[in-house]
Amino acid sequence: MHYALTGPGKRLRPILTLAVADLFGSRLRLSRRSEIILDVACAVEMVHACSLIFDDLPAMDDAARRRGRPTVHRVFGEDVAQLAGLALLNRAYALVAEGAQRLALRHYTTEDMLHHLAAAIGTGGLIGGQALDLSSRPEELDLTLLEYIHSHKTGALFMAAGELGAMAADARRRDLEVIARFAKNLGLAFQISDDLLDVLATPEETGKDTGKDEAKVTFVKLLGVEGAHALATELLGFAVESLAPLGRKADPLREIARFVELRGR
Ligand code: GRG
């Protein structure tokens, strides 16, 4: 669990949670509440770490390297890797439940936050997206199906990361919707940039094997490098546009969108 969670990843999802929470609660930083919100952000990273463990298993991507190091199952064995993933997932739920209870929010219940997390992970989220990815035949994959798969497999956790940050800061429902729109487009753009890095970057730059998608249908396969880049830029444009009601205070989220556009790992 420790190995999976503390490797040199980018921490983009928990950063999104914290940036969103900060946006709706400028006094949070100095208060005890900020520690609880940090726990919620860590829970988001635990779910991500769990998803990477499972994604890398021989039965799925069979990946040897991740974050510049051997994958969890290569170091600890498949049995321990699966248990570590499940334990991280369970710890994440517990942290969100404890956090939500201690925050005692006005607009959201503990069930609201847990439900958002569970929905993002389940058949309508990461797990469903991954299952469809594994079971789709290459000839049936068009842009619509590919977008569906990746907005679930990858996008759903970005959405949950943003939404949990907004909920933890007791943001109004309409602000939660703004964040959900932003994170949905950001998440899909992130996946497209991941596909681009798989063909354009080196393993040293990404910390994982590249060229792994050769046999897969990806955004780059369907649209070419330029087309995929244009789609990512368009989605990031939508993401940034949706922040208009929040004004300048949403600038850190605009910076996150810019990071996704320019990222090299
Ligand atoms: C039970 C949570 C759970 C998941 C099971 C395996 C699976 C279902 C889903 C796979 C989800 C997945 C790994 C999607 C790929 C997302 C992606 C682009 C990961 C790379 O994220 P980065 O670049 O990685 O943020 P770092 O290492 O920086 O954290």
Side-chain angles (χ1 to χ4, degrees), residues 140-220:
E140 62 190 4
L141 274 164
D142 57 11
L143 199 55
T144 308
L145 185 54
L146 202 63
E147 275 193 20
Y148 182 91
I149 289 172
H150 291 294
S151 58
H152 289 78
K153 182 180 159 170
T154 304
L157 192 55
F158 276 87
M159 275 183 81
E163 288 170 331
L164 287 174
M167 290 170 126
D170 226 354
R172 290 168 305 183
R173 293 267 172 186
R174 65 167 177 274
D175 288 331
L176 179 69
E177 281 163 25
V178 167
I179 294 303
R181 259 196 307 281
F182 168 76
K184 187 174 196 296
N185 285 310
L186 182 80
L188 193 54
F190 185 85
Q191 177 60 51
I192 298 171
S193 65
D194 204 68
D195 286 0
L196 281 163
L197 289 174
D198 188 72
V199 293
L200 298 177
T202 62
E204 289 70 37
E205 284 164 330
T206 63
K208 53 188 181 181
D209 308 324
T210 51
K212 289 281 290 175
D213 296 345
E214 236 159 68
K216 287 190 193 163
V217 179
T218 64
F219 287 98
V220 176

Side-chain angles (χ1 to χ4, degrees), residues 9-10 13 48 51 55 67 130 153-154 190-191 194:
K10 295 180 286 298
R13 296 156 190 80
H48 174 55
S51 79
D55 197 46
R67 295 174 166 175
Q130 177 80 349
K153 182 180 159 170
T154 304
F190 185 85
Q191 177 60 51
D194 204 68

Side-chain angles (χ1 to χ4, degrees), residues 47-71:
V47 174
H48 174 55
C50 162
S51 79
L52 298 180
I53 292 177
F54 278 94
D55 197 46
D56 289 339
L57 286 174
M60 299 209 192
D61 262 6
D62 194 14
R65 295 191 72 73
R66 165 80 65 187
R67 295 174 166 175
R69 310 180 307 172
T71 45

Side-chain angles (χ1 to χ4, degrees), residues 60-99:
M60 299 209 192
D61 262 6
D62 194 14
R65 295 191 72 73
R66 165 80 65 187
R67 295 174 166 175
R69 310 180 307 172
T71 45
V72 177
H73 67 273
R74 291 280 174 121
V75 178
F76 300 97
E78 281 179 57
D79 46 3
V80 173
Q82 292 185 38
L83 292 174
L86 290 172
L88 283 166
L89 193 60
N90 280 280
R91 186 75 189 112
Y93 280 115
L95 275 180
V96 170
E98 287 158 20

